[in-house]
Amino acid sequence: MLVVKNATLLFLSRTIVRGHALLGDPAARLFGMSPTRDPYPTYESVRERGPVVRSRMGLHLTASHELCNSLLRDPGFGPMAANELSLIDSSAYVGTRRLVNPVEESFLVLDPPDHTRLRRLVAPWFTPRGLRDQVATVERVVEEYLDEVSGRPTFDLVGDFAARVPIQVIADLLGVPDADHAAFARWGGALVNALDGVRDLKEVRALHRGLREFEAFLDDLVEHRRRHPGDDVVSRLAQHEDLRREDLIATTELLLVAGFETTVNLIGNSVLAVLADPGLRERLVDDPGCAEDVVEETLRLDPPVQYTVRAPFADTEIAGTRLRKGTPVVLLLAGANRDPAVFADPHRFRPGRPDGREHLAFSAGIHYCLGANLARMEGAAALRGLFRRFPDLRAAGRVRRRPSRVIRGPERFPVSTGAAKHRPIVEIIS
Ligand code: HEM
């Protein structure tokens, strides 16, 4: 893949990618086109061409469930940061001070034994037992934010609700004081560009500013927690004298980005699915218990993380295609989730389908999402709370999608609560 370090070369390489896209190259179509376009037809065309497709851009892609699943579990393959597929090398513009980039240095992209050592440090917060303590907190947070939008005829489902729940939950888990939550959300937003690969110099600067500010904040927080430990993740990491500063920062950044930028989209995509189907909305209002199934089916049909990347440690062969050591293979998780070899009627949103948990939205193997059960719990609590409070919830304007290829979900989603309908009655009574 091309990696360019100045604006002229960036323009030229974008033109080349667009040319390949027009010639039907699937990787060029995916990475060259607007990130807000519907990617699902491209995933279908990749799968129709065979289990693995070679692109002129030096990438291999697969949307086969069987192949994605086996590569994710294959010890001969390791993760590669998805941002390495970006045209811009974000490190090209770093100033004199080296910054820790979570997507390049956290355990998300490390191999054993470092991966195992670091994952183990934070795993206790995500076990079923660890999560049991979180349920009441999550439900309280959901109700608090719903209280704030109650009485308003419309609100932005993402900014006013879906984004606030996970940020509060992850900030509490990490031990970030309430006063810093707004800044914490801002850094999370900047860091998500690290996942996708930055697209222009403005984003590079925003990413570096976010990283710099977050590192300074964390250094202070760690100092504070060393002196006043709580039962949060940062306090625990701060007690490990032998943990390198870079590992501590990268782990905390990973939890911030993974815990915040994904769950917000799970909530957004679930609500999009429910509002698109009046029968489903009625079902959810009558039986809030089906929220878990709706969340699971959203994870399958429209997952927040669309793809990940793996590369072999040595020359090898997959599905009859030879791969040289280090060749990136893009695993289209969202495409695998619609593979008819596994899911009957794969394009239909059918909560409670018998094979509903076979999806790869949370990956598989040693990098299986650590926060999967937390995300499921937050998603279901948000849906239950939302439709209990606003059974007449409706879309109230154009949905704007996130400009990202890795992360999929609404960035702005105006909804109406039905409150306007009832206002005259309230006025007569009062
Ligand atoms: C709907 C929400 C979420 C989705 C779709 C999601 C998806 C994923 C995926 C696909 C991976 C693996 C990437 C790969 O194999 O290359 C992953 C890893 C990870 N996720 Fe999530 N995630 C979600 C929520 C969360 C939450 C709430 C947290 C924590 C607060 C979290 C923490 C992590 C961590 C720490 C990893 C790295 C695991 C490892 O490398 O061992 N995620 N997630």
Side-chain angles (χ1 to χ4, degrees):
M1 188 77 177
L2 290 158
V3 174
V4 295
K5 300 194 178 196
N6 76 47
T8 314
L9 277 177
L10 178 65
F11 173 76
L12 281 176
S13 47
R14 279 198 177 133
T15 310
I16 294 168
V17 173
R18 279 199 199 107
H20 283 314
L22 288 172
L23 293 171
D25 186 283
R29 263 165 63 189
L30 208 57
F31 298 110
M33 297 293 182
S34 161
T36 52
R37 265 175 66 148
D38 177 3
Y40 291 104
T42 307
Y43 303 156
E44 287 306 303
S45 77
V46 169
R47 193 169 345 87
E48 277 158 17
R49 289 186 195 200
V52 57
V53 172
R54 192 177 183 289
S55 145
R56 286 199 189 90
M57 296 168 65
L59 293 173
H60 289 71
L61 296 101
T62 176
S64 146
H65 186 284
E66 188 186 351
L67 191 56
C68 285
N69 196 20
S70 75
L71 292 182
L72 288 169
R73 296 165 191 275
D74 190 334
F77 282 73
M80 196 172 178
N83 69 340
E84 289 189 32
L85 307 181
S86 166
L87 289 174
I88 295 193
D89 174 3
S90 67
S91 62
Y93 300 92
V94 186
T96 44
R97 177 147 173 250
R98 209 186 77 80
L99 296 164
V100 180
N101 186 327
V103 180
E104 290 162 4
E105 296 175 60
S106 70
F107 64 88
L108 176 70
V109 287
L110 292 179
D111 303 313
D114 288 332
H115 169 265
T116 326
R117 174 177 59 85
L118 293 168
R119 180 170 167 129
R120 231 177 240 160
L121 285 180
V122 290
W125 276 269
F126 300 95
T127 58
R129 203 164 142 235
L131 286 180
R132 224 176 297 139
D133 304 338
Q134 294 286 321
V135 178
T137 314
V138 170
E139 284 178 348
R140 179 181 48 76
V141 169
V142 164
E143 292 306 316
E144 263 173 38
Y145 290 134
L146 289 175
D147 286 346
E148 285 186 25
V149 292
S150 270
R152 279 165 57 179
T154 59
F155 67 96
D156 176 14
L157 181 93
V158 179
D160 295 327
F161 178 66
R164 300 181 76 189
V165 174
I167 200 82
Q168 173 82 45
V169 171
I170 193 66
D172 285 351
L173 214 78
L174 291 174
V176 172
D178 284 358
D180 295 310
H181 282 192
F184 194 61
R186 212 177 53 243
W187 297 322
L191 260 56
V192 77
N193 284 328
L195 276 181
D196 218 38
V198 283
R199 282 159 302 203
D200 53 38
L201 298 187
K202 207 171 125 211
E203 285 189 0
V204 175
R205 281 188 217 106
L207 169 63
H208 289 160
R209 197 171 45 246
L211 289 173
R212 226 180 355 256
E213 287 178 12
F214 190 50
E215 283 189 22
F217 166 78
L218 263 183
D219 284 335
D220 289 348
L221 184 63
V222 167
E223 259 327 292
H224 175 72
R225 291 297 179 201
R226 281 210 172 107
R227 282 181 274 115
H228 310 283
D231 54 3
D232 54 85
V233 174
V234 171
S235 292
R236 164 92 191 261
L237 296 179
Q239 303 310 309
H240 283 263
E241 300 286 343
D242 54 341
L243 190 65
R244 293 184 327 139
R245 174 183 173 272
E246 287 77 12
D247 285 338
L248 192 154
I249 290 176
T251 303
T252 315
E253 285 175 345
L254 169 64
L255 291 176
L256 165 60
V257 180
F260 160 45
E261 285 292 345
T262 51
T263 311
V264 51
N265 298 303
L266 176 60
I267 299 171
N269 292 350
S270 303
V271 177
L272 274 174
V274 175
L275 295 193
D277 178 349
L280 184 57
R281 196 237 317 263
E282 263 172 45
R283 210 175 124 193
L284 191 59
V285 171
D286 291 346
D287 172 18
C290 78
E292 270 99 11
D293 285 344
V294 172
V295 163
E296 208 60 45
E297 184 65 344
T298 304
L299 285 162
R300 184 191 72 82
L301 198 74
D302 201 13
V305 178
Q306 295 272 297
Y307 62 84
T308 185
V309 189
R310 292 292 186 269
F313 296 123
D315 292 0
T316 185
E317 195 178 301
I318 55 166
T321 301
R322 293 194 60 75
L323 285 185
R324 296 190 73 95
K325 173 184 170 182
T327 307
V329 184
V330 182
L331 310 182
L332 300 168
L333 305 175
N337 285 356
R338 294 182 181 209
D339 190 337
V342 176
F343 302 102
D345 202 0
H347 303 290
R348 235 183 86 206
F349 192 87
R350 192 146 64 87
R353 54 168 67 231
D355 42 18
R357 279 213 170 203
E358 296 295 309
H359 63 73
L360 297 175
F362 290 125
S363 185
I366 63 167
H367 291 281
Y368 181 79
C369 176
L370 187 62
N373 287 329
L374 174 61
R376 284 183 167 118
M377 189 254 282
E378 286 184 60
L383 268 195
R384 270 196 309 270
L386 192 63
F387 285 92
R388 193 185 301 126
R389 186 75 66 106
F390 306 120
D392 291 326
L393 195 81
R394 298 261 188 294
R398 244 185 96 225
V399 172
R400 190 171 70 217
R401 288 214 165 261
R402 273 171 210 287
S404 166
R405 293 183 186 89
V406 182
I407 302 290
R408 181 170 164 83
E411 185 173 57
R412 197 173 160 273
F413 185 175
V415 287
S416 81
T417 58
K421 231 173 35 188
H422 304 301
R423 195 178 296 153
I425 300 170
V426 175
E427 281 170 3
I428 291 165
I429 292 170
S430 62

